[in-house]
Amino acid sequence: MSSAVATSTSSKYFAAKTRSAAHTKLFAAAVVPDVIDDDVETVIEYPESEEGRKGHISSKTGRPVTDFQYRVYDACRQIPAGHFSTYKAIADHLESGPRAVGNALAMNPFAPLPIPCHRVVTSDCYIGGFSGDTKSKIFWKKAKLEKEGLAFDDSGYVLPKHQQAQFFNSFK
């Protein structure tokens, strides 16, 4: 097991988690699309330098990628394959809010790699949205994570055996 993975049963991220009724309803109402995109191998060019980042126009929004979005993407980039993190864990690292992290990831033009936003779930381990969609693309996210070794129950939650063993929060 990687030393970069939190395994403590007393982690603040796993203390007495209860399932959100809203999440359970969302998953039940979601529609499985005819085609599932499970690609976790395509690499999109990611600007590494400050110079390369200045003025980079997002292919998703047609607007420049913001400094905050780059901070979120740089954190998300650290989550190894076969692991997951939460919007809250990234927000805590960035001293921000989970919704702001989710909004930045919904606009991620560098997916699936090098910015694997599919590896980020809600703090109650629900699969969450994908690419700003909670109706059908969540099945793309689920397929990508399953391809990397995670498993989910019938309500869209990461299985308990994976929740601590594959949770990542050692951001640098």
Side-chain angles (χ1 to χ4, degrees):
M1 183 180 298
S2 168
S3 63
V5 178
T7 58
S8 169
T9 56
S10 62
S11 169
K12 69 180 179 177
Y13 296 101
F14 295 101
K17 289 288 178 206
T18 56
R19 291 181 172 212
S20 161
H23 288 159
T24 302
K25 286 179 186 176
L26 268 177
F27 197 79
V31 178
V32 179
D34 293 334
V35 178
I36 303 267
D37 175 2
D38 67 351
D39 176 23
V40 291
E41 297 167 3
T42 299
V43 178
I44 309 296
E45 185 176 344
Y46 185 67
E48 299 287 343
S49 70
E50 190 173 322
E51 185 66 29
R53 290 179 175 195
K54 284 188 192 257
H56 181 85
I57 303 299
S58 168
S59 60
K60 277 192 138 181
T61 65
R63 300 170 70 185
V65 177
T66 68
D67 289 339
F68 177 75
Q69 287 170 322
Y70 277 120
R71 289 178 56 221
V72 171
Y73 301 157
D74 289 341
C76 183
R77 185 178 196 182
Q78 298 174 47
I79 306 167
H83 293 82
F84 73 96
S85 193
T86 65
Y87 300 103
K88 179 175 177 13
I90 293 173
D92 286 353
H93 168 70
L94 298 176
E95 298 180 350
S96 180
R99 285 185 190 232
V101 169
N103 287 335
L105 292 176
M107 300 300 152
N108 175 16
F110 308 107
L113 295 175
I115 312 304
C117 56
H118 62 278
R119 296 180 189 152
V120 183
V121 302
T122 66
S123 60
D124 64 354
C125 294
Y126 175 68
I127 194 160
F130 184 67
S131 197
D133 177 279
T134 59
K135 297 288 184 198
S136 61
K137 289 185 182 176
I138 59 172
F139 293 102
W140 292 6
K141 182 176 184 174
K142 183 174 181 277
K144 290 173 189 291
L145 290 168
E146 288 174 338
K147 192 172 188 178
E148 293 181 337
L150 287 179
F152 296 84
D153 67 15
D154 292 339
S155 298
Y157 289 86
V158 176
L159 289 179
K161 69 180 183 178
H162 296 288
Q163 287 181 8
Q164 291 186 18
Q166 291 169 275
F167 175 70
F168 177 89
N169 71 337
S170 299
F171 297 104
K172 295 179 174 102

